[in-house]
Amino acid sequence: MSFPSYPAYKDSSVEWLGEVPQNWSVHSLKRTVDGCVNGLWGDEPDGENDIAVIRVADFERSFSTVGLDKLTYRSITPKERQSRLIKSGDLLIEKSGGGEKTLVGCVVLFKHEFDAITSNFVARMRPLAEFDSQFLCYAFGNLYHGRVNYSSVKQVTGIQNLDAESYLQERFCFPTRVEQIQIARFLDHETARIDALIEEQQRLIELLKEKRQSVISHAVTKGLDPTVPMKDSGVEWLGEVPAHWICKSYRYASVIYRGKFSHRPRNDPSLYDGDFAFIQTGDIARADKYIRDYKQTLNEKGAAVSQKFPAETLVMAIAANVGDTAILGFEAYAPDSVVGFKPEKNIELEFLRFSLIAALQELKKTSTQSTQANLNIDRISGIQSVFPPAAEQVEISVYLNGLMEQFSLLEQQAMASIKLMNERRFALISAAVTGKIDVRNWQSPASAPTPESAQEAV
């Protein structure tokens, strides 16, 4: 779909904006809102002064569907909340955050009708009367996704902080309020269509993951021959299994040994940057089947306090991303959040990996839960599975590897589609809010006149 340009443009005098429509104004963001009003974290709920406190974690949450009971409530005195109350139409911006997934500078539109304030990491911006909230949300979002606001983000001891005064000095272009509303209506419609397509691809990826798990579980517990005689395994999660297969716990199918990292603190720089590969749970999570590269190394001092796994070791994460498995493509050291498996005689390495993938839910049932799930060798060792003769294990592994390649290809195609649609979404928003396309005559399909009604109007 293509859209026309405006009849005439002018130089915005803002390098990244370039030319903007002739009749649009160019001025700083501070002329569109009443400033940034910082939030407050308050005290523990006391049953008297409790109020919802909107956190960054709530930015993607639909309050109407999850219910107000899912929000965080804190005790805020009436005096403290008076100037901080947010209302429908306010813009919320993350002012502070840390980590790789920080959203500092991200802006969302609050569309709800319940009493709330923002947390100490989130600020409120209330649009002035001549500006449409939804248009401003798209405009501020364009600054965020285009990284225009990065110059206003300051890094202090691992925490990023937005300099609100500097941020609001940024110049942008603005049409009349009537035109802002039209642009917002257009973008609401078009981004909803794109979001629906993205959601379809995300559902496809989830279905592929479920199908992958189902196919693996069936193959390693029932085999490939539907006519083979079956027997009751006596193990609830296995059910009936081929009569000639052997049921045994993982302690009898492999030698299981745990990684190690006895030195504390773990991040001591004197242990790293040497000649020895060091893999962690994240490396296992990122691997498809084989771990072929690594991001961190140990020196001799670090290697002395860790555990060496030989190449072709089957490794499993027992903390963080519990149950993820991969096969080491090289000799490497690993911490105590990783365990290694060396198959016993007549147990095929790749079949063992597929067997552990099939047993994932049983593994998770045995994990302890504190701040995160954790497994240990005793729990893994005690889980029972079933094993066919070695030749049949190889046959099943070859069959599953072929299917996994097909699933991976479909998943990659879905992820590529999502990436392209997200790029299209951002490009469309950017073009509309900067006047690169003219949508003043756009009508949504629901409101556009039918040929019959158009004829009557003539």
Side-chain angles (χ1 to χ4, degrees), residues 207-418:
L207 288 172
L208 286 170
K209 289 178 180 177
E210 291 173 11
K211 181 67 174 176
R212 181 187 287 116
Q213 183 71 29
S214 174
V215 166
I216 292 172
S217 296
H218 189 275
V220 300
T221 61
K222 312 300 179 190
L224 305 180
D225 183 358
T227 66
V228 71
M230 306 291 281
K231 67 180 180 183
D232 182 7
S233 67
V235 180
E236 184 179 354
W237 82 272
L238 291 174
E240 286 196 332
V241 299
H244 65 291
W245 289 20
I246 297 174
C247 291
K248 57 185 172 184
S249 59
Y250 285 111
R251 67 164 55 91
Y252 298 114
S254 63
V255 176
I256 308 173
Y257 49 112
R258 189 167 184 173
K260 184 179 72 171
F261 208 86
S262 56
H263 184 87
R264 294 294 184 273
R266 275 264 302 269
N267 61 352
D268 184 344
S270 69
L271 305 172
Y272 297 94
D273 299 326
D275 298 325
F276 305 100
F278 183 58
I279 61 109
Q280 301 183 74
T281 58
D283 297 297
I284 301 174
R286 285 186 291 272
D288 184 14
K289 179 173 69 172
Y290 275 90
I291 301 177
R292 302 194 183 279
D293 53 30
Y294 50 92
K295 294 185 174 181
Q296 205 161 38
T297 60
L298 299 177
N299 54 32
E300 289 187 1
K301 181 181 176 182
V305 298
S306 189
Q307 171 68 52
K308 181 169 69 176
F309 290 164
E312 294 296 307
T313 298
L314 174 61
V315 291
M316 173 188 284
I318 60 170
N321 41 298
V322 171
D324 280 1
T325 59
I327 298 171
L328 267 177
F330 47 84
E331 181 181 275
Y333 288 79
D336 47 12
S337 54
V338 175
V339 295
F341 297 82
K342 180 182 178 182
E344 295 286 7
K345 185 179 179 181
N346 295 325
I347 300 295
E348 197 263 336
L349 179 64
E350 291 201 10
F351 182 87
L352 179 61
R353 176 172 176 265
F354 284 125
S355 176
L356 287 166
I357 292 172
L360 181 61
Q361 291 309 313
E362 286 302 303
L363 289 168
K364 289 185 174 180
K365 285 180 185 178
T366 68
S367 66
T368 58
Q369 192 79 39
S370 51
T371 54
Q372 63 180 15
N374 285 275
L375 280 172
N376 62 35
I377 288 179
D378 289 339
R379 293 189 179 94
I380 298 169
S381 300
I383 293 175
Q384 284 206 316
S385 191
V386 62
F387 299 89
E392 204 170 341
Q393 292 179 39
V394 173
E395 181 186 4
I396 291 170
S397 295
V398 170
Y399 167 77
L400 287 175
N401 279 324
L403 283 180
M404 295 308 107
E405 287 181 9
Q406 294 178 34
F407 286 139
S408 293
L409 179 60
L410 291 171
E411 187 171 333
Q412 289 168 18
Q413 290 172 344
M415 292 174 68
S417 294
I418 290 173

Side-chain angles (χ1 to χ4, degrees), residues 1 3 182 184-190 193 439-450:
M1 183 184 298
F3 300 95
Q182 173 69 356
R185 287 180 60 247
F186 164 76
L187 288 175
D188 285 347
H189 180 269
E190 293 298 316
R193 290 178 60 231
V439 298
R440 288 176 294 180
N441 294 323
W442 174 86
Q443 290 182 304
S444 70
S447 61
T450 63

Side-chain angles (χ1 to χ4, degrees), residues 41-95:
W41 187 233
D43 300 315
E44 289 295 321
D46 60 13
E48 182 178 351
N49 295 309
D50 302 345
I51 188 172
V53 176
I54 306 303
R55 305 168 301 146
V56 177
D58 300 315
F59 273 27
E60 295 183 0
R61 177 177 286 168
S62 173
F63 305 118
S64 59
T65 57
V66 301
L68 301 184
D69 59 319
K70 301 295 183 182
L71 297 175
T72 300
Y73 286 80
R74 301 285 293 175
S75 176
I76 311 290
T77 65
K79 182 179 180 180
E80 289 174 324
R81 74 175 68 175
Q82 185 175 7
S83 62
R84 295 182 173 89
L85 280 174
I86 53 180
K87 65 181 182 179
S88 181
D90 284 349
L91 300 173
L92 310 184
I93 184 169
E94 182 182 0
K95 285 197 65 182

